[in-house]
Amino acid sequence: MAQPVTTPDPAPEPGEPSFDALRWHDEPWTARLALDLLPETNGPRIEVLSGSVIVTPHAGTDHQAVERELPYVLHRAARRAGYWVYPEINVVSGSDLFIPDIAVLRAPGGGRSSVKITEAVLLAEVVSAGTRRKDVIDRPRQYAAAGVPFFLRVDLRNRVPAIALFELVEGEYRPVAAAAAGNTFVMREPFEFSIDPAELLDDEPAEADLRDDEPAEAGTAEIETTESVATEDAADPVN
């Protein structure tokens, strides 16, 4: 018995941006296409990497607490040095579209829907359990390749927040400063800023969390390198 012939839905006429474009657009994606065809959203994070659209849900409450607190205090320090701080903005790098957790720009956004990565003096990522490889290995390499002078990482492992700052030197990020909860993180460049990472979470780390995992020593922070995470991934691959 002959089967009915099905044809793909035709592409809709140009109009309002719609997530339907994810269904009918079958060519490689670019940052420009995503910004033109997909609607603005406060829901899933939509990025473009190597021609593919990457959609991720919002992270947990600790991640959101850091994204609420850190941009606020960073912005006050950055403005004194003539910089502007924005959480989760569209950053275009060639055909790729990144949405870093925090971006420090040399000039104000001016109402634009996206900025070029060359406008960023510092990009920051907050590491969650499901994004460790991306935030510790992939994004630093991509931001370094684009020439972003500084990279800031906030790690929430064991619910003991730690902050590490890296500076771009000869095409690679080199550690500059780090501190864990209970000590003061201090950076001098690209502007002066200090904070106890413990201030970034809404409550104190649970004692059970510290007992179940390796104890965190207040006042110290080991700067995790891409090599150390790659070794972890070899033992426990990320699918």
Side-chain angles (χ1 to χ4, degrees):
M1 181 176 177
Q3 297 295 320
V5 177
T6 59
T7 57
D9 294 336
E13 294 296 324
E16 292 294 323
S18 170
F19 285 117
D20 287 341
L22 292 172
R23 183 164 53 89
W24 60 259
H25 183 81
D26 57 3
E27 298 294 327
W29 282 86
T30 65
R32 188 70 265 159
L33 280 172
L35 292 169
D36 289 344
L37 299 180
L38 301 177
E40 295 182 0
T41 175
N42 290 324
R45 180 180 303 198
I46 299 173
E47 299 176 295
V48 176
L49 182 63
S50 301
S52 298
V53 172
I54 301 171
V55 181
T56 53
H58 281 299
T61 55
D62 281 348
H63 190 288
Q64 299 303 321
V66 174
E67 284 199 3
R68 181 193 66 224
E69 297 297 323
L70 187 54
Y72 174 71
V73 292
L74 267 178
H75 185 69
R76 291 191 298 173
R79 287 300 300 119
R80 291 192 288 269
Y83 298 116
W84 281 260
V85 176
Y86 297 93
E88 292 194 352
I89 61 171
N90 297 313
V91 175
V92 177
S93 177
S95 60
D96 292 335
L97 174 63
F98 299 120
I99 303 181
D101 289 319
I102 303 170
V104 179
L105 306 182
R106 295 182 174 89
R112 292 171 292 166
S113 62
S114 65
V115 299
K116 295 180 180 179
I117 200 167
T118 52
E119 299 179 50
V121 67
L122 179 151
L123 296 178
E125 298 290 351
V126 181
V127 182
S128 297
T131 63
R132 177 164 296 279
R133 180 182 178 87
K134 174 179 75 71
D135 295 332
V136 178
I137 296 180
D138 299 335
R139 287 304 156 86
R141 288 177 178 172
Q142 292 154 353
Y143 296 160
V148 179
F150 292 91
F151 174 69
L152 186 74
R153 186 175 68 228
V154 182
D155 200 323
L156 303 177
R157 184 155 47 180
N158 303 339
R159 301 201 73 238
V160 180
I163 304 176
L165 176 68
F166 302 81
E167 183 176 9
L168 189 64
V169 178
E170 297 180 352
E172 296 182 353
Y173 284 125
R174 305 284 176 83
V176 176
N183 197 27
T184 302
F185 169 79
V186 179
M187 73 181 197
R188 304 299 182 191
E189 297 290 342
F191 51 90
E192 293 190 358
F193 172 74
S194 63
I195 190 173
D196 180 344
E199 299 176 21
L200 298 176
L201 294 188
D202 290 335
D203 53 12
E204 296 294 332
E207 290 183 4
D209 290 338
L210 296 180
R211 288 198 301 268
D212 292 341
D213 296 287
E214 294 181 1
E217 196 173 308
T220 64
E222 180 180 352
I223 300 182
E224 190 172 35
T225 64
T226 58
E227 290 78 8
S228 64
V229 174
T231 301
E232 291 179 10
D233 289 337
D236 184 16
V238 176
N239 294 324

